[in-house]
Amino acid sequence: MRAAVLGKPIEHSLSPVIHNAGYLAAGLHDWTYTRHECDEPALARFVDSLDETWAGLSLTMPLKEIALTVADEATPVAEAIGAANTLVLRGGRRLADNTDAPGMVDALAEIGLREAEEVAVLGAGGSARAALAAAHQLGAGAVQVYARRREAIIELEPVASALGLRLEARSWEEAVHVGDADLVIATVPKGVTDTLRLKWKPGAVLFDILYDPWPTPLAAEAENQGVRVLDGLALLLAQAVRQWTQFTGLDEAPVTAMREALYGAVPSRRTS
């Protein structure tokens, strides 16, 4: 059986490392996972060309929104977010899903955070959509979103509405207060949060979706104040584990082997 990750650019993707390590550990020797460069105009043609030996596709930028247009059906979370990072191919049908949001929840559960009343999101781009869905799954009724452009926050309002969340727009200058939240999810590019100097509340958690180089200045300062911190590798692994089980149909993935392969593939994070 076959699976792959699609996007443009795609040569940097670590998804093959994670998925193939899972296949090997589970004894699925006839399974392969590859990467293919694909842009938006080419997605429908690529999906149409697949035969019954294909189990699924992982989708990264810029394909997450257009993925919904090539699916026969979509999960509620993918519909609410308006984006899918997963296409499950089974029985001639294409199911679009988004494992980023539940992946965030899974990763947070591993460090003991299973609910959060006060959630703040740094940034209002594509990853912020998944962050809103994760906040909803954690029980938050409202989410504070801090961004440099108010227009970007406004674009998130349909997502928040679909999830039943109250969206509270905050300027980037107000981000100095973000440490007052129970959970902060940083979705901005490298360097954007480097000058933030925060005072963190006791028990707070930071989920910074960056991972290399690590730690970011934001994460390092948070850890120095006793904050529990998760990085982008935790998200990359968790969302891939959910895809792996959907593609293979197995109930459990060999997470330890997949984690070891992932961290071993990032030079700055190798433990040996």
Side-chain angles (χ1 to χ4, degrees):
M1 294 296 293
R2 305 172 67 185
V5 58
L6 274 58
K8 186 175 183 179
I10 199 61
E11 63 273 4
H12 67 285
S13 175
L14 293 170
S15 292
V17 172
I18 306 171
H19 285 260
N20 284 319
Y23 300 154
L24 181 62
L28 300 177
H29 301 298
D30 59 341
W31 281 71
T32 60
Y33 186 104
T34 52
R35 62 169 69 91
H36 298 270
E37 186 165 288
C38 179
D39 59 14
E40 292 169 288
L43 179 60
R45 184 168 63 253
F46 185 97
V47 175
D48 288 342
S49 72
L50 304 181
D51 60 22
E52 66 278 0
T53 65
W54 284 82
L57 298 173
S58 306
L59 304 170
T60 186
M61 299 304 292
L63 304 176
K64 293 187 177 183
E65 293 184 27
I66 197 173
L68 295 173
T69 67
V70 300
D72 298 306
E73 55 185 317
T75 62
V77 66
E79 288 184 340
I81 294 174
N85 72 335
T86 308
L87 274 180
V88 182
L89 310 175
R90 187 169 295 130
R93 302 283 293 174
R94 306 167 183 173
L95 172 66
D97 191 17
N98 191 302
T99 65
D100 286 330
M104 288 182 183
V105 175
D106 292 343
L108 288 164
E110 283 199 10
I111 64 168
L113 184 71
R114 291 178 172 80
E115 57 182 27
E117 183 176 345
E118 298 179 15
V119 178
V121 176
L122 293 171
S127 297
R129 296 185 179 197
L132 292 180
H136 172 68
Q137 292 182 34
L138 291 166
V143 176
Q144 297 177 346
V145 178
Y146 297 80
R148 292 167 291 181
R149 293 191 309 110
R150 188 175 182 86
E151 294 81 4
I153 301 178
I154 293 174
E155 292 174 1
L156 292 178
E157 289 181 349
V159 178
S161 178
L163 293 166
L165 281 174
R166 187 173 72 257
L167 193 64
E168 299 178 358
R170 298 286 187 270
S171 68
W172 190 252
E173 289 71 27
E174 294 177 282
V176 293
H177 304 296
V178 76
D180 294 335
D182 299 321
L183 168 64
V184 176
I185 305 176
T187 69
V188 293
K190 180 171 62 176
V192 175
T193 62
D194 288 0
T195 59
L196 280 181
R197 295 296 177 264
L198 308 177
K199 182 177 181 181
W200 294 85
K201 68 183 292 185
V205 173
L206 168 65
F207 203 145
D208 191 333
I209 68 168
L210 299 175
Y211 63 82
D212 192 26
W214 187 264
T216 63
L218 178 67
E221 182 186 16
E223 287 183 326
N224 287 338
Q225 295 186 42
V227 172
R228 289 173 289 172
V229 175
L230 283 173
D231 68 353
L233 289 184
L235 173 57
L236 187 58
L237 175 65
Q239 62 84 27
V241 166
R242 282 183 169 261
Q243 290 180 338
W244 192 96
T245 57
Q246 290 188 72
F247 294 166
T248 64
L250 298 177
D251 292 333
E252 293 186 13
V255 178
T256 298
M258 296 166 78
R259 178 183 289 110
E260 290 176 352
L262 171 60
Y263 278 78
V266 180
S268 64
R269 308 297 292 281
R270 290 175 184 159
T271 57
S272 61

